[in-house]
Amino acid sequence: MGPAFVPCVLLWHFLFFVSMVSEGISGQVSGWIDAHATYYGANQSPSTLGGACGYDNTIHAGFGVNTAAVSGALFRGGEACGACYQLMCNYKADPKWCLSRAVVTVTSTNFCPANNRGGWCDPPHHHFDMSMPAFFRIARQGKEGIVPILYRRVACKRRGGVHFTIKGQSNFNMVMFSNVGGSGDVKASWVRGSTNKRWVAMQRNWGANWSTTSVDLRSQKLSFTITLVDGKTLTFLNVVPSTWGFGQTFSSRNQFY
């Protein structure tokens, strides 16, 4: 009895642990973190919620409609733009409004500002103000308030290559990076013109927009090197032709995985 009993007890505890993790109850053990979520108003088009990251259209940027504005604790001054999170409604905490076992992956495309009056986006809260389509993939229709959720960072899976949108004017060069895979969030970037052939460091101007004023890049093929927050680096050679114009978007064949 003794030797047979011990494995049975261990098996029971293992199955119980697996059940807890699959339900998303044990946030620390399974890698899920406690947070809360609301959603944007129904009268707002989810495709235009690029906000503080500068994505003019989240469909055009490669992110679809499953997006969210994140609180300052997650936004990190714009560094979180393009990052992906897997969210599930915490059914154990709110079985009335949460859909059991439902999950959705969202891209951070906007900032949810603090109101300094105890709001959900005030520090140190982790909060997601989701697009309406994303919210109702994990919560029941009719819930107009707030739901408890569990979230974790996941790799972004994008179709096609990284996108480069040329902005700015004259010798003020600003580029928006979008449709970035891997960790999705850009930590550093460099640009090189085909004429000057010198790598120049870019600075985050705001959100997903990076700029440099130290070199005139007009009428040159442009190459970029991008480093993500997770340390992965890719170089995109001559991804923008010399005939580029402000407002144009170019797509590479390379992508982070």
Side-chain angles (χ1 to χ4, degrees):
M1 287 291 292
F5 175 74
V6 174
C8 287
V9 172
L10 292 175
L11 177 61
W12 185 88
H13 280 290
F14 173 76
L15 292 175
F16 179 74
F17 170 76
V18 171
S19 175
M20 293 283 280
V21 171
S22 67
E23 289 286 349
I25 297 170
S26 184
Q28 297 302 315
V29 174
S30 65
W32 294 84
I33 301 171
D34 288 315
H36 285 81
T38 48
Y39 70 93
Y40 285 104
N43 61 334
Q44 292 180 275
S45 170
S47 67
T48 61
L49 301 178
C53 288
Y55 304 122
D56 297 329
N57 184 300
T58 63
I59 303 293
H60 183 254
F63 304 139
V65 297
N66 289 335
T67 61
V70 296
S71 59
L74 297 170
F75 193 67
R76 307 189 311 277
E79 190 177 78
C81 291
C84 293
Y85 302 85
Q86 190 176 60
L87 278 56
M88 70 164 68
C89 202
N90 193 337
Y91 184 81
K92 184 177 177 65
D94 191 351
K96 180 179 180 181
W97 294 110
C98 288
L99 297 175
S100 176
R101 301 179 183 274
V103 297
V104 63
T105 298
V106 299
T107 299
S108 170
T109 61
N110 205 347
F111 172 56
C112 183
N115 64 21
N116 300 314
R117 296 190 300 274
W120 284 104
C121 288
D122 289 2
H125 293 146
H126 289 200
H127 186 83
F128 294 80
D129 197 14
M130 305 167 65
S131 69
M132 187 175 177
F135 184 85
F136 285 119
R137 288 189 61 182
I138 61 172
R140 298 184 189 282
Q141 293 279 351
K143 177 61 174 177
E144 305 300 326
I146 187 167
V147 293
I149 64 167
L150 298 162
Y151 81 92
R152 62 184 177 185
R153 281 293 306 273
V154 294
C156 301
K157 298 179 180 179
R158 306 299 186 197
R159 293 184 178 180
V162 174
H163 296 174
F164 302 82
T165 300
I166 311 300
K167 301 182 178 182
Q169 57 185 350
S170 185
N171 67 334
F172 173 65
N173 308 286
M174 188 161 70
V175 181
M176 181 185 73
F177 305 126
S178 60
N179 200 50
V180 180
S183 70
D185 38 8
V186 178
K187 182 70 174 180
S189 67
W190 296 261
V191 62
R192 186 182 73 182
S194 57
T195 300
N196 56 48
K197 298 182 179 179
R198 177 172 61 92
W199 287 105
V200 177
M202 306 184 77
Q203 295 76 41
R204 188 188 306 278
N205 191 285
W206 63 283
N209 295 280
W210 293 74
S211 64
T212 176
T213 58
S214 62
V215 61
D216 188 349
L217 297 173
R218 288 173 293 180
S219 301
Q220 299 182 60
K221 295 179 181 178
L222 304 183
S223 300
F224 297 90
T225 293
I226 295 176
T227 296
L228 302 185
V229 169
D230 66 3
K232 292 181 180 179
T233 300
L234 275 180
T235 295
F236 305 83
L237 295 175
N238 300 321
V239 68
V240 175
S242 60
T243 54
W244 63 266
F246 294 113
Q248 290 183 302
T249 297
F250 302 89
S251 179
S252 72
R253 294 182 179 181
N254 294 346
Q255 184 57 275
F256 291 93
Y257 296 99

